[in-house]
Amino acid sequence: MKLAISEAFVNDSTAFRKSNDKPGFLSVFGRRFGLSNIAYMHLPSLVNSQSETGLVTTYSKAWEDRYVEKGYDERDPVVKNSFKGVLPFDWSAITNGDRSAINFFGEAAEFGVSKQGVSIPIRGPEGDQALFSVSSNESAGEWRSIKQHLLPDLTYLGFLVHSAIVKKPTGNAVTTKLSPREKDVLLWASYGKSCWETGKILGLSERTVNFYIGNASAKLGAATKTQAVAIALRKCLILQTI
């Protein structure tokens, strides 16, 4: 008998926590259940407004870059509407008559992201917030079938993924893997460059630099950019050459 999606994740949760390629892991996992994409977005804490947004998604790198560049982390209609309630939010509820949502999904479609999806709002005990989303590129009829089968279990799955990502490692932790861009922004931060200055050097917007710093900080378990730089230097993840 086919496992429920949350039960399957529980069986794989240790491997997920240890994985250096969580997007790749989620991509393979999601395809087992007819899902084209899975996205986890950790939002700034309600009690710590200085915390950064972090993403773990199976979306293409091109769409992630466009998402940040267009400022969708602040005006994504899915994020805005999902936190109006506590239940799973069906994306189809915002596409009818909402011009900004229609434009958003139209642009996302150019990068292979379907408008057929569901998001789970997550609120932690310490004011932390996250959004767990799944979507499918299957036909409308097939998506209805997939959704009907998975929906009762998706909330639990969202909290399982959230717990696995934010849980502090113990014992012999797996080596942290930073992306080349995350290393770049931390390296220039170690030389005292501001996010604006780093953006000019790397040809990125200040918003994008902040995004990469936020992701790197989350991976390193750092609360601030300064802490992230210190940890990265200590672990030799970045090397100062000048």
Side-chain angles (χ1 to χ4, degrees):
M1 186 174 70
K2 188 174 182 180
L3 292 176
I5 192 169
S6 62
E7 186 178 3
F9 186 81
V10 168
N11 290 344
D12 294 343
S13 60
T14 299
F16 176 71
R17 282 195 295 268
K18 291 181 177 180
S19 174
N20 284 327
D21 181 17
K22 286 181 170 56
F25 186 105
L26 289 177
S27 180
V28 173
F29 178 82
R31 286 199 296 268
R32 291 164 53 187
F33 296 88
L35 301 175
S36 303
N37 282 296
I38 295 178
Y40 170 85
M41 173 185 282
H42 191 265
L43 300 168
S45 169
L46 292 175
V47 297
N48 179 12
S49 60
Q50 300 303 310
S51 60
E52 302 282 351
T53 298
L55 292 173
V56 177
T57 83
T58 63
Y59 300 139
S60 69
K61 183 65 168 55
W63 173 237
E64 286 191 8
D65 288 345
R66 176 65 67 86
Y67 187 94
V68 176
E69 287 291 345
K70 295 292 288 288
Y72 286 136
D73 53 321
E74 295 183 352
R75 54 191 182 90
D76 183 336
V78 171
V79 177
K80 181 174 65 175
N81 285 275
S82 292
F83 282 99
K84 290 181 178 179
V86 296
L87 298 176
F89 179 80
D90 195 314
W91 297 357
S92 64
I94 58 174
T95 54
N96 295 326
D98 186 330
R99 176 54 56 185
S100 63
I102 292 172
N103 291 340
F104 172 80
F105 281 113
E107 186 170 5
E110 296 175 11
F111 294 85
V113 181
S114 172
K115 64 180 180 181
Q116 299 179 149
V118 174
S119 292
I120 314 297
I122 298 170
R123 297 174 175 87
E126 298 181 359
D128 51 313
Q129 297 184 109
L131 192 66
F132 178 74
S133 303
V134 301
S135 60
S136 175
N137 290 326
E138 299 289 345
S139 67
E142 187 64 25
W143 168 236
R144 283 194 296 270
S145 177
I146 292 171
K147 185 169 60 174
Q148 182 178 19
H149 176 69
L150 297 182
L151 194 56
D153 211 29
L154 282 180
T155 298
Y156 184 38
L157 175 64
F159 277 89
L160 288 173
V161 172
H162 173 68
S163 178
I165 290 176
V166 302
K167 183 177 181 180
K168 301 299 182 185
T170 58
N172 296 322
V174 176
T175 301
T176 304
K177 184 177 181 180
L178 299 178
S179 72
R181 276 304 190 201
E182 289 164 354
K183 291 179 181 179
D184 288 342
V185 297
L186 288 182
L187 178 60
W188 285 109
S190 75
Y191 291 130
K193 300 297 184 182
S194 68
C195 291
W196 181 85
E197 291 171 324
T198 296
K200 291 298 181 182
I201 293 168
L202 299 176
L204 302 172
S205 69
E206 184 176 1
R207 178 189 298 278
T208 302
V209 173
N210 274 313
F211 170 79
Y212 285 124
I213 287 177
N215 271 3
S217 297
K219 290 180 180 180
L220 296 168
T224 66
K225 179 174 70 174
T226 301
Q227 287 181 359
V229 169
I231 294 171
L233 286 170
R234 186 174 69 247
K235 292 187 174 185
C236 297
L237 297 174
I238 59 174
L239 299 174
Q240 293 180 317
T241 57
I242 58 176

